[in-house]
Amino acid sequence: MAALRKMAVLRKLVFVILASGVLAMPALAENWTLFHHYDFNKPQFIHSHPFAKEHLVVQVDQGNPHRWALALSNVDNVLNYFGSDKIQIVVVAYGPGLKMLFANSPLKRLVQSLNAQGVEFDACHMTMLGIKAKTGHLPKLLPQAVVVPGGVIRIMQLEQHGFDLLKP
């Protein structure tokens, strides 16, 4: 009898975990590091840039792939000018701009290439929740996407810590 109760409790626990989507989160975004350990007063980054003298945050908030390409072209130009060891760049995507970081993004290869050069790509969790409310599930993101609590909040944080803002 006790074994049956334990089994029933275990089944309920598994159901609650699956229903809550906790196990699904890592499959939808590879990197939740900044989301789980976010501290507005102490910015954290996925890529270390200890010698960077310049700091740039790029806002992507439009759903137009041509605007995404423009933003990433600007990022590439800035990287080429300063060199990847002398500048720290964070691209923050939110609202319709989050689609740039969807797994099926037309700019997937460019995001991968810039990430390999040390550019961080932050994805807005608040936008993800808005999408989940409409579709019933969180969007599947590129593995390079780093989930942050909010895109605007991340931009505010970085500006307060010396980052220049670019809104292409």
Side-chain angles (χ1 to χ4, degrees), residues 4 62 146 161 167:
L4 288 176
Q62 296 184 19
V146 179
H161 287 87
K167 268 177 53 172

Side-chain angles (χ1 to χ4, degrees), residues 20-40 42 44 46 123 125 128 138 145-150 154:
S20 70
V22 170
L23 294 179
M25 284 198 329
L28 298 171
E30 298 286 326
N31 198 333
W32 288 79
T33 304
L34 295 185
F35 178 79
H36 290 303
H37 305 288
Y38 195 83
D39 181 349
F40 186 83
K42 296 178 185 169
Q44 292 179 311
I46 295 305
H125 186 249
M128 293 171 68
L138 292 173
V146 179
V147 179
V148 296
R154 179 65 162 167

Side-chain angles (χ1 to χ4, degrees), residues 88-149:
Q88 183 170 23
I89 302 174
V90 178
V91 177
V92 180
Y94 66 93
L98 183 65
K99 292 177 185 174
M100 182 183 79
L101 298 180
F102 280 11
N104 62 352
S105 172
L107 299 179
K108 177 182 358 185
R109 292 195 194 281
L110 186 51
V111 169
Q112 291 169 343
S113 172
L114 292 170
N115 180 71
Q117 296 177 68
V119 176
E120 180 174 309
F121 289 88
D122 292 352
C124 175
H125 186 249
M126 289 181 194
T127 300
M128 293 171 68
L129 291 177
I131 292 168
K132 181 179 180 183
K134 290 179 184 174
T135 65
H137 58 83
L138 292 173
K140 183 162 176 51
L141 302 177
L142 293 169
Q144 294 78 20
V146 179
V147 179
V148 296

